[in-house]
């Protein structure tokens, strides 16, 4: 019994420095054999750097980290990049050759037990390449890959992000079951993330780098329960072809009218890959100034649907799709379409070049390029900096994009999407990985956009991320 209380990992007088900043100094932390931890902090607090130090990939500048076992698996947004082809571009996701010849899910999960495949719903994904998976599907595969190695310690950074509501509940059950086994877990997130019941202790990183450690039973007293804006996603009955559309906010519907120009028109759209129908007979019209929320479980085809609008998917030419009044395939250029759109997505963040500064990332939005290859005017740079300021990340303007946290990268890309005041904003899970303060900044920015200037398509799995200005909803159901 005494052995259960021995430390599995011990940090003594540890200092951690990353990207020129001291994140932790003289840190003491013991993780005992019978403890399961949640690490909670805001964007940029150093959570991920601390986890990298524990996992062994970031040596501390001072102090010692002692581990009983080096069998540690760390799953984060960054780990998804390891299994993508070298120098892959976001448009390559729709390249049939890369999809056919790339690493498959089965190749990444060799000899995976049937129970693991069933628990994570991966059976239909085994033959698919990693490059074609959706955000939520990639996260499922990465967690399953880590579990396949049977680690002594599993570190999950923002494990619930990108997952639909149904699987978030299932993942919580899986994690609680793992915590009843010999495996130890550290779950990393913000104060609006769920803390599974199996967690015994909380490591809280407060403003200014202050650290507090306490048993989880103290969480209600310290107001660290999952943050909620008191909203639920609208319940929508399933329509024909697994699609349902309807008006959402009665108080806002009056400002849009059928007389307004359609921005997006889709008629009986079908998308097929490897004999699988991703989209089937989709009909959708988005008019000027409407604000749509796009819902659907992981694997329903939301990313594919958006790729047709963003002019990234060549299957648009084989379908009846009209964008900004011009039918696809009628002689319009891709750049004519992109000039009118601002967008952000987990995929854009995954594939975006990381060596340029955050300010240059935002400035690239003026030219619709993945990277900055032209000089901005002084006015353009001032507007870009103003957007970084609005999202609370202006202090990182001169830092390399790769040096800021996942959440700060997302905010930078949001500024890029909005910088040119586009006719259409496509925001795919824009609040993923954000703490409550930064989530609220994003939603405030979306809701404050002039009602007669921009049309919005907004994707989310979470009720607390839904803008109040939403006028319509569109739901895709997963094909069986």
């Amino acid at each position: 019994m005494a052995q259960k209380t021995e430390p599995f990992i011990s940090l003594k007088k540890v200092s951690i420095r990353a990207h020129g900043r001291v994140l932790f100094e003289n840190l003491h932390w013991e993780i005992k054999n019978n403890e399961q931890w949640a690490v909670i902090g805001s964007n940029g607090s150093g959570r991920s750097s601390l986890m990298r130090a524990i996992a062994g990939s970031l040596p501390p500048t001072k102090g010692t980290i002692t581990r009983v076992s080096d069998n540690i698996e760390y799953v984060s947004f960054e780990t998804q990049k390891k299994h993508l082809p070298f120098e892959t571009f976001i448009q390559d996701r729709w390249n049939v050759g890369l999809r056919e010849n790339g690493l498959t899910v089965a190749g990444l999960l060799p000899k995976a037990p049937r129970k693991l495949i069933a628990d994570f719903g991966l059976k239909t994904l085994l033959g698919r390449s990693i490059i074609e998976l959706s955000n939520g599907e990639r996260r499922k595969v990465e967690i399953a890959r880590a579990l396949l190695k049977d680690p002594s310690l599993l570190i999950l950074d923002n494990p619930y992000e990108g997952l639909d509501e149904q699987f978030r509940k299932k993942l919580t059950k899986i994690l609680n079951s793992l915590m009843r086994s010999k495996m130890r877990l550290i779950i990393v997130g913000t104060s609006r993330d769920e803390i599974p019941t199996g967690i015994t202790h909380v490591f809280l990183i407060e403003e200014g780098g202050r650290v507090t450690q306490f048993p989880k039973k103290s969480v209600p007293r310290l107001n660290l329960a999952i943050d909620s804006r008191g909203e639920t996603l609208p319940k929508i009955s399933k329509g024909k072809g697994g699609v349902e559309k309807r008006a959402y906010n009665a108080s806002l519907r009056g400002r849009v009218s059928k007389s307004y120009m359609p921005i997006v028109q889709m008629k009986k759209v079908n998308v097929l890959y490897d004999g699988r129908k991703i989209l089937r007979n989709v009909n959708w019209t988005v008019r000027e100034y409407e604000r749509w929320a796009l819902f659907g479980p992981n694997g329903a085809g939301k990313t594919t649907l958006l790729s047709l609008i963003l002019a990234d998917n060549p299957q648009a030419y084989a379908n009846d799709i009209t964008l900004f009044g011009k039918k696809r395939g009628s002689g319009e250029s891709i750049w004519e379409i992109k000039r009118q759109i601002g967008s952000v997505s987990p995929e854009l963040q995954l594939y975006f070049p990381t060596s340029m500064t955050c300010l240059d990332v935002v400035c690239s939005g003026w030219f619709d390029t993945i990277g900055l290859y032209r000089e901005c005017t002084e006015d353009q740079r001032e507007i870009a900096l103003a957007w970084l300021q609005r999202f609370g990340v202006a202090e990182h303007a001169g830092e390399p994009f790769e040096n800021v946290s996942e959440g700060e990268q997302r905010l930078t890309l949001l500024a890029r999407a909005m910088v040119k005041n586009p006719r259409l904003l496509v925001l795919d899970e824009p609040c993923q990985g954000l703490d409550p303060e930064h989530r609220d900044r994003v939603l405030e920015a979306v809701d404050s956009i002039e009602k007669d200037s921009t049309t919005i398509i907004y994707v989310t799995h979470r009720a607390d991320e839904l803008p109040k200005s939403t006028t319509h909803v569109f739901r895709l159901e997963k094909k069986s």
Side-chain angles (χ1 to χ4, degrees):
M1 180 67 73
Q3 187 169 352
K4 284 189 176 182
T5 61
E6 293 178 359
F8 176 75
I9 292 178
S10 178
L11 286 74
K12 294 182 178 179
K13 297 183 178 180
V14 166
S15 294
I16 297 173
R17 185 182 181 91
H19 312 308
R21 288 192 299 151
V22 176
L23 302 172
F24 299 94
E25 280 192 292
N26 201 34
L27 177 64
H28 290 258
W29 185 16
E30 273 193 353
I31 300 176
K32 295 182 179 179
N33 270 315
N34 62 341
E35 294 176 347
Q36 312 286 356
W37 283 78
V39 174
I40 296 173
S42 60
N43 300 126
S45 63
R47 295 169 305 167
S48 297
S49 295
L50 177 59
M51 294 304 103
R52 286 169 54 211
I54 289 176
S57 61
L58 178 64
T61 55
K62 291 181 182 179
T64 59
I65 300 178
T66 305
R67 308 171 185 85
V68 171
S69 171
D70 289 325
N71 185 16
I72 299 172
E73 285 294 314
Y74 177 36
V75 179
S76 69
F77 183 81
E78 284 297 313
T79 60
Q80 298 181 31
K81 295 183 179 180
K82 295 181 180 179
H83 304 116
L84 296 174
F86 182 65
E87 291 189 345
T88 306
F89 297 96
I90 188 168
Q91 291 85 357
D92 291 336
R93 296 190 68 227
W94 316 108
N95 183 316
V96 174
L98 282 175
R99 292 167 73 102
E100 291 177 348
N101 300 322
L103 175 68
T104 65
V105 173
L108 192 62
L109 303 175
K111 300 180 181 179
R114 289 183 179 179
K115 186 178 187 308
L116 182 67
I117 297 300
D119 283 348
F120 284 83
L122 304 178
K123 184 176 181 180
T124 59
L125 304 183
L126 292 175
R128 294 169 61 184
S129 65
I130 300 300
I131 195 175
E132 65 180 288
L133 299 182
S134 71
N135 176 39
E137 289 169 338
R138 284 194 308 272
R139 196 169 295 268
K140 290 181 185 180
V141 170
E142 285 295 322
I143 296 174
R145 179 201 60 79
L147 288 173
L148 192 59
K149 297 186 178 184
D150 191 26
S152 298
L153 172 63
L154 176 62
I155 304 173
L156 299 177
D157 202 331
N158 287 330
Y160 293 99
E161 296 300 335
L163 300 178
D164 59 50
E165 184 178 6
Q166 182 177 357
F167 191 76
R168 287 201 305 272
K169 293 178 181 177
K170 186 170 185 179
L171 179 60
T172 296
K173 292 180 180 179
I174 293 172
L175 297 181
N176 282 325
S177 176
L178 289 171
M179 286 185 277
R180 291 192 293 269
S181 71
K182 63 179 182 179
M183 191 179 298
R184 300 156 196 85
L185 268 73
I186 299 178
I187 297 176
V188 185
T190 70
S191 61
R192 69 190 186 100
D193 294 314
E194 182 171 350
I195 301 178
T197 56
I199 291 293
T200 62
H201 290 74
V202 173
F203 184 101
L204 175 65
I205 307 171
E206 300 179 87
E207 188 176 350
R210 295 188 304 275
V211 169
T212 307
Q213 305 172 37
F214 48 85
K216 184 196 163 193
K217 61 184 179 182
S218 302
V219 169
R221 177 173 57 84
L222 292 174
N223 195 29
L224 282 176
I226 183 169
D227 174 84
S228 174
R229 296 165 76 230
E231 298 169 359
T232 57
L233 291 177
K235 302 294 183 183
I236 311 172
S237 58
K238 185 174 178 180
K240 293 182 179 179
V243 173
E244 188 68 20
K245 310 180 290 290
R246 70 171 174 83
Y248 171 58
N249 193 328
S251 66
L252 297 173
R253 285 203 310 269
R255 78 181 189 201
V256 294
S257 164
K258 289 186 178 180
S259 63
Y260 284 132
M261 171 186 171
I263 295 291
V264 177
Q265 279 186 302
M266 296 184 175
K267 298 179 180 178
K268 296 183 178 179
V269 166
N270 293 278
V271 173
L272 188 75
Y273 281 108
D274 303 323
R276 294 177 296 105
K277 274 207 171 181
I278 309 301
L279 298 174
R280 179 179 300 163
N281 293 328
V282 173
N283 295 283
W284 190 20
T285 298
V286 177
R287 297 182 182 276
E288 278 189 306
Y289 317 136
E290 291 178 341
R291 303 200 171 181
W292 285 82
L294 175 59
F295 301 134
N298 299 132
K302 300 185 300 297
T303 302
T304 301
L305 183 69
L306 295 181
S307 72
L308 299 172
I309 296 171
L310 297 172
D312 289 332
N313 194 326
Q315 291 209 32
Y317 297 111
N319 281 284
D320 189 351
I321 299 175
T322 301
L323 302 177
F324 305 103
K326 290 187 177 181
K327 184 175 171 58
R328 292 306 314 272
S330 63
E332 83 295 348
S333 76
I334 290 175
W335 297 110
E336 286 176 342
I337 297 170
K338 289 186 174 294
R339 193 175 299 124
Q340 303 180 75
I341 301 175
S343 68
V344 68
S345 67
E347 286 71 29
L348 181 64
Q349 184 170 348
L350 195 63
Y351 294 101
F352 208 92
T354 59
S355 58
M356 68 185 71
T357 67
C358 291
L359 181 58
D360 283 346
V361 169
V362 181
C363 286
S364 71
W366 290 110
F367 312 111
D368 314 300
T369 53
I370 309 298
L372 184 61
Y373 308 103
R374 295 167 58 181
E375 285 289 331
C376 281
T377 66
E378 192 62 32
D379 284 346
Q380 287 174 326
R381 294 185 76 82
E382 286 183 7
I383 293 171
L385 187 60
W387 274 109
L388 286 174
Q389 182 74 45
R390 181 158 192 176
F391 289 135
V393 288
E395 64 183 297
H396 302 301
E399 292 185 43
F401 189 59
E402 62 188 348
N403 286 5
V404 300
S405 71
E406 174 192 343
E408 290 163 340
Q409 286 185 353
R410 180 60 53 87
L411 292 164
T412 300
L413 290 172
L414 271 162
R416 177 185 179 273
M418 295 187 173
V419 72
K420 64 180 179 180
N421 191 26
R423 289 181 68 187
L424 174 63
L425 265 177
V426 179
L427 305 178
D428 187 353
E429 299 192 68
C431 297
Q432 178 176 299
L434 299 185
D435 57 49
E437 178 185 349
H438 287 99
R439 173 208 58 194
D440 291 346
R441 281 178 182 257
V442 171
L443 295 179
E444 180 186 349
V446 171
D447 286 332
S448 67
I449 293 172
E450 289 294 329
K451 65 180 182 180
D452 294 334
S453 64
T454 302
T455 304
I456 298 174
I457 299 174
Y458 188 104
V459 182
T460 184
H461 289 293
R462 298 180 55 147
D464 67 330
E465 296 176 356
L466 191 64
K468 294 178 181 178
S469 58
T470 301
T471 61
H472 295 73
V473 295
F474 182 74
R475 182 175 179 88
L476 288 173
E477 294 292 344
K478 190 171 182 178
K479 310 297 180 294
S480 57

